Amino acid sequence: MDDDLRRLRNLVVDGAPSEEATERMRASLMGHIANTQLRDEIAATVDVPELDEVASARMRRTLMNHVAPKPKRTSKRRVVAAVIAVAAAATVFALIPLGGNDTGAVALLNIAEAVMTVPDTDFSDAAVERRSDQLLLVIESVDGEEVAFHRPATEVWRMAPDGVFQVEYTVDDLRFFTPVDQDTLETLNEVHAVGRTETATYPPSDDPQEPSMLTDDADVLSERIYRDIERFGPPEVPVNVQVLRRVASIYSEELPTNSERAALLTVVSDTRDVTYAADDTSGTVTASIRYTRSDGTPVEYALVFDSDGWLIRETETLLDGIPEMNVPAGTPELDVIYQLPVTSP
């Protein structure tokens, strides 16, 4: 019990307190009143920093994470907890604005916010087909001569409702940066099975509860991705690049629901040193990172998301090219265009 409470108790118990005790209690109470008024006046004069667009969008996204409909979260206790968490998050954002005035970052967060409000699509009871058109830079030695070319390919993977998984892979005509003779062409066509479709079929997973990195909780997803990078990531590749690559691999290997895509976009928006570019016409947002490999090669890695939060393109570009092999600057090492998944009964 502090001194003020003790004195108040003594005043209640002692019907006729001494003049000295009364004066001491009066002075203490007046001090409390003055301190409270001073605190309120100081609080009223403090300027709360104005939120920039990125911070505002992140705050809206935080709110949406709590108020968006999620059938599994109907408990009143959880709703109350969410309201408290939202209030705390709003305070943090008000005091510490995040990011810069980047319209691309805002656009990405707006997509996440919009996707979060759409009910999740259930892929479990339907056959799903997804196609990707790929371009890969290949350098091969033929008879002691190095040849650089692009290998275009089409991959179609299908998932049946019973879990049977099938992949079709077709390599199209190779695209050379310098002309090659007929023997070299035939050799490379044979090595890369140009024009042939190879099909592989896989049985359902033995473990129907096989762990997935996917979740609709952006914080948990981020923790999983960074923990995975810490354990298995190549140390020579910047962590932020690895984060974007992990996001791309999740999109290419799984079928994220709307709320899971919102979480993936949130992880991308929170990744350090990412450059964003929004296309107002198509509604797409590109997230890219430029970095230099350990061998001194400057490259740019980029992901493009559509207005529904799907990954529609993944590229890795050689900024300087390979002049000695006639590979110009800006040549993609990797360029994958992802089609949206198609379902059928």
Side-chain angles (χ1 to χ4, degrees), residues 119-268:
D120 280 336
T121 302
D122 186 1
F123 294 102
S124 60
D125 296 328
V128 183
E129 178 178 296
R130 187 164 59 185
R131 168 183 172 138
S132 63
D133 298 305
Q134 308 172 5
L135 195 67
L136 182 67
L137 178 66
V138 179
I139 298 176
E140 277 209 49
S141 178
V142 181
D143 296 330
E145 293 287 335
E146 286 193 330
V147 181
F149 56 91
H150 270 144
R151 186 185 71 196
T154 299
E155 181 180 273
V156 180
W157 68 255
R158 301 180 180 91
M159 176 73 77
D162 61 2
V164 174
F165 185 66
Q166 184 182 77
V167 180
E168 288 184 358
Y169 193 81
T170 306
V171 177
D172 297 322
D173 291 341
L174 307 180
R175 304 174 188 175
F176 296 91
F177 293 93
T178 56
V180 297
D181 58 49
Q182 188 64 29
D183 289 342
T184 299
L185 176 61
E186 290 177 359
T187 298
L188 292 173
N189 282 346
E190 182 63 27
V191 168
H192 292 276
V194 172
R196 297 202 299 265
T197 297
E198 298 181 348
T199 303
T201 303
Y202 305 92
S205 170
D206 294 334
D207 181 8
Q209 301 300 321
E210 185 177 358
S212 168
M213 192 171 287
L214 269 176
T215 172
D216 60 8
D217 187 316
D219 292 333
V220 173
L221 177 62
S222 178
E223 181 182 350
R224 290 176 181 175
I225 289 176
Y226 280 92
R227 186 169 60 242
D228 188 61
I229 290 172
E230 183 178 1
R231 293 177 62 190
F232 306 111
E236 69 274 10
V237 179
V239 171
N240 55 358
V241 175
Q242 293 189 59
V243 171
L244 294 196
R245 286 181 177 172
R246 288 296 196 283
V247 169
S249 68
I250 291 172
Y251 269 101
S252 63
E253 296 168 4
E254 304 196 47
L255 292 168
T257 63
N258 296 326
S259 56
E260 290 167 345
R261 294 201 305 278
L264 286 162
L265 296 178
T266 300
V267 170
V268 173

